Amino acid sequence: MGKIKIFLLFLSLYCLGPCAAIPIISSSTDESALLAFKAKITRDPYNIFKKNWTAGTPFCSWIGIICSHRHQRVMALNLSSKGLKGTIAKEVGNLSFLISLDISNNNFQGHVPDELVHLHRLRGLYMQLNELSGQIPGSFGFLNRIQELFLYNNSLTGPIPPAIFNISSFQVIDLKYNFLGGSLPMDICNNLPNLESFNVSHNQLGGQIPESFSRCSEIKFLDLSCNEFTGSIPGKLGNLSKLEQLYLGNNSLTGELPSTIFNISSLTNLEAAYNTISGSLPHDICKKTPRLEILYIFANQLGGQIASSISGCRSLKQLSLAFNNISGVIPAEMGNMSALQILHLISNNLTGELPFNFFNISSLTKIVLGYNRFTGNLPEDLCFRHPNLEFLEIESNQIFGNIPSSISLCSALSTIALTTNYLTGGIPPQIGNITGLQNLYLSENNLTGSIPAEIGNITGLQYLVLGDNNLTGGIPAEIANITGLQYLNLSNNSLTGEIPPFIFHISTLQELHLSGNQLSGNVPSFDES
């Protein structure tokens, strides 16, 4: 959009050579078209049309209008984000000098008029974030100068007209968040030499991903996610030497992940989650993708092991291989990935000791290793190595030993989830120093001792889950300070004493589990009306 704005500014000061050859048509045509557009507006919260778009005043001075300097013809119509509601008048197609039409982020309804095909000079069409319905006009294939088409976040249906893929001037096509169906033409990129960005995510497109995408040699951004694409990922996508972001998630893709994709040195984002992709990650996964920052291939059927060469992705910030069948150990070389912020490996078949002994990655904010077969214990220096940690989840593994008191030094933690392990010892009182903690899950371990009163210092705690341990003593009165508590599970321990009445006065509490203890006292009756 930036190039078009510069082009419009240039045209507003000077008229390019070809303009001289265009016959001068009465500007009354433009005024009539604009007034017809105004007549279709049913809601105008800023009174743009009532106060400004009035007959008898020069339309080139109206809000949202840019005219050419020489001919005083409408060159740009920009009414983005004005809260407008109505339909698009077909007379807009009479604005024959129009280069940019922007009515984005309003509440326009109805169909996109076929008459827009008459806008032969149009470079940019911006109708995103409206309530438009019906099909994309097939006549759009005749807009042979258009560079940018933005129709995302509407309610458009039907297939994408194949004719638009013959417009060689296209640079950006963004149709995401609609209800478009059908399939993409297998020769989609045969006539799109300048295409840089193509986004059709969150639609209902099916069929196979065309191999001819490999001919869009200038493409940098390709998003086909959240559709119904089937078949395998074309290996020829690896020929897209300028590709930076590739999104293929939430489809029904099968086959192996092509190793050729990891030959794209410009690649920064690769997301292919929620498919049925099999095979394994290539052994040289990061040797040719040094700029990779996000790698999401979770919820597939990947097997094999994590290659040590993954440490070559020195720019990698987010890694998720969760919900696959990956086995083996986490390679020690991953400790060199100094940019890593999110490590998400839940639900695989990973073994070996927890990787904290070689993880000196201070940038890590989220560690999710649950539902594997890791062993070992939580090191005392966990929070010295990971001072920025916000989310620690290692549920359903085989970790043992104590919860280190130094965990309180991870002051940014919002979630600690260590359920279903073999942890012993007591809950360290220092945990009460993590005042921003929202979720504490320690159930199904072998924890002993009493519930520390310091937990009451965590006033923003929402989930406190300590069931199925060997905890003793009473329920500390300080829990009453946790005013936002929603879920409290202390069941199946050896707690004694009376059930404190304050528990039943925590207005936010939705679930309470106290069974399997030796508690006494009365449970109040509640009016279910």
Side-chain angles (χ1 to χ4, degrees):
M1 190 166 166
K3 293 180 181 178
I4 291 176
K5 286 183 177 178
I6 294 170
F7 185 57
L8 287 173
L9 179 61
F10 183 77
L11 280 183
S12 68
L13 299 175
Y14 302 100
C15 185
L16 298 179
C19 293
I22 298 171
I24 297 177
I25 303 172
S26 172
S27 60
S28 62
T29 304
D30 285 3
E31 183 176 13
S32 297
L34 293 173
L35 292 175
F37 179 84
K38 172 185 175 180
K40 293 288 187 179
I41 301 299
T42 59
R43 181 174 180 268
D44 177 18
Y46 300 111
N47 289 319
I48 293 169
F49 297 102
K50 182 178 180 181
K51 294 182 177 179
N52 186 261
W53 282 42
T54 57
T57 61
F59 63 81
C60 287
S61 66
W62 294 354
I63 290 174
I65 303 299
I66 297 176
C67 288
S68 59
H69 181 69
R70 175 181 290 185
H71 299 300
Q72 291 294 289
R73 302 295 304 277
V74 177
M75 186 173 60
L77 173 59
N78 185 345
L79 291 170
S80 174
S81 305
K82 296 295 189 293
L84 302 174
K85 187 172 184 177
T87 56
I88 304 169
K90 65 181 181 180
E91 287 83 358
V92 173
N94 295 332
L95 298 171
S96 57
F97 274 63
L98 203 63
I99 292 174
S100 176
L101 173 57
D102 188 348
I103 57 170
S104 62
N105 195 24
N106 284 291
N107 302 106
F108 282 98
Q109 299 174 325
H111 292 191
V112 180
D114 280 299
E115 287 78 6
L116 297 185
V117 69
H118 301 307
L119 302 176
H120 296 301
R121 291 177 171 85
L122 199 65
R123 303 287 198 278
L125 181 58
Y126 310 98
M127 294 182 170
Q128 69 270 24
L129 297 162
N130 279 288
E131 300 170 13
L132 298 171
S133 57
Q135 298 190 11
I136 301 172
S139 57
F140 273 17
F142 293 102
L143 297 173
N144 56 14
R145 294 186 185 181
I146 195 166
Q147 296 174 4
E148 298 182 345
L149 177 62
F150 287 82
L151 295 175
Y152 64 82
N153 285 79
N154 279 288
S155 298
L156 299 171
T157 56
I160 302 172
I164 73 171
F165 300 117
N166 292 323
I167 304 174
S168 61
S169 57
F170 256 134
Q171 296 177 6
V172 180
I173 299 174
D174 196 333
L175 308 175
K176 65 177 176 282
Y177 286 101
N178 280 287
F179 300 97
L180 300 171
S183 59
L184 297 176
M186 297 311 291
D187 60 351
I188 186 169
C189 282
N190 285 8
N191 297 301
L192 296 174
N194 300 304
L195 192 65
E196 296 181 5
S197 178
F198 184 72
N199 192 339
V200 291
S201 67
H202 295 86
N203 278 284
Q204 298 169 3
L205 297 167
Q208 296 192 339
I209 298 174
E211 281 194 355
S212 64
F213 268 120
S214 62
R215 299 191 185 99
C216 284
S217 58
E218 297 296 316
I219 201 164
K220 298 177 182 178
F221 182 98
L222 178 58
D223 192 345
L224 307 177
S225 63
C226 299
N227 278 287
E228 299 168 9
F229 288 110
T230 57
S232 58
I233 301 170
K236 289 185 177 181
L237 293 183
N239 297 334
L240 297 173
S241 60
K242 296 183 180 180
L243 188 63
E244 297 175 1
Q245 300 183 51
L246 176 61
Y247 301 95
L248 303 173
N250 288 82
N251 280 289
S252 299
L253 298 172
T254 56
E256 296 190 2
L257 188 67
S259 59
T260 52
I261 289 177
F262 296 97
N263 293 332
I264 306 173
S265 61
S266 56
L267 198 63
T268 61
N269 292 30
L270 173 57
E271 299 189 20
Y274 293 109
N275 281 290
T276 318
I277 298 169
S278 56
S280 60
L281 296 175
H283 292 295
D284 58 351
I285 182 172
C286 288
K287 289 185 177 179
K288 297 179 181 179
T289 51
R291 296 179 56 195
L292 197 62
E293 296 181 3
I294 296 177
L295 179 60
Y296 281 177
I297 320 180
F298 59 87
N300 277 285
Q301 297 179 0
L302 291 176
Q305 300 185 0
I306 301 174
S308 60
S309 62
I310 200 169
S311 63
C313 287
R314 295 298 179 89
S315 300
L316 199 64
K317 296 178 181 178
Q318 300 180 26
L319 173 63
S320 180
L321 304 175
F323 301 101
N324 278 289
N325 299 311
I326 297 171
S327 58
V329 301
I330 295 179
E333 289 83 356
M334 284 185 67
N336 299 323
M337 299 170 66
S338 58
L340 196 61
Q341 298 172 5
I342 295 176
L343 178 63
H344 195 188
L345 301 176
I346 189 173
S347 293
N348 278 285
N349 294 312
L350 295 167
T351 56
E353 291 201 2
L354 290 172
F356 299 117
N357 290 332
F358 57 83
F359 263 36
N360 293 312
I361 307 173
S362 61
S363 58
L364 271 171
T365 61
K366 188 173 184 179
I367 299 175
V368 184
L369 303 176
Y371 297 89
N372 282 286
R373 290 181 287 156
F374 290 113
T375 59
N377 55 20
L378 297 172
E380 190 66 36
D381 62 354
L382 172 66
C383 292
F384 293 102
R385 295 172 183 260
H386 310 295
N388 300 306
L389 200 59
E390 299 174 4
F391 194 102
L392 177 64
E393 191 276 307
I394 320 178
E395 296 183 329
S396 296
N397 277 280
Q398 299 170 16
I399 59 175
F400 51 83
N402 297 337
I403 301 172
S405 59
S406 61
I407 199 169
S408 63
L409 299 177
C410 288
S411 58
L413 274 170
S414 65
T415 296
I416 300 174
L418 303 173
T419 64
T420 319
N421 280 288
Y422 301 109
L423 295 171
T424 55
I427 300 171
Q430 293 86 346
I431 210 163
N433 296 333
I434 312 176
T435 54
L437 196 65
Q438 298 176 12
N439 307 296
L440 180 59
Y441 301 97
L442 299 176
S443 61
E444 297 183 59
N445 280 286
N446 296 314
L447 298 172
T448 56
S450 59
I451 300 171
E454 289 80 358
I455 280 182
N457 297 335
I458 313 174
T459 55
L461 199 64
Q462 298 176 14
Y463 281 72
L464 178 57
V465 185
L466 307 177
D468 293 280
N469 280 288
N470 299 310
L471 299 173
T472 56
I475 299 174
E478 288 78 3
I479 288 181
N481 299 329
I482 309 175
T483 55
L485 194 63
Q486 298 178 21
Y487 186 99
L488 177 61
N489 187 344
L490 305 177
S491 62
N492 299 317
N493 280 286
S494 298
L495 300 174
T496 55
E498 288 197 7
I499 301 173
F502 72 81
I503 284 181
F504 305 106
H505 298 289
I506 301 175
S507 61
T508 56
L509 197 63
Q510 299 174 10
E511 285 195 42
L512 174 63
H513 300 269
L514 299 175
S515 63
N517 285 288
Q518 301 170 30
L519 298 166
S520 59
N522 296 320
V523 176
S525 59
F526 295 93
D527 184 3
E528 295 183 359
S529 61

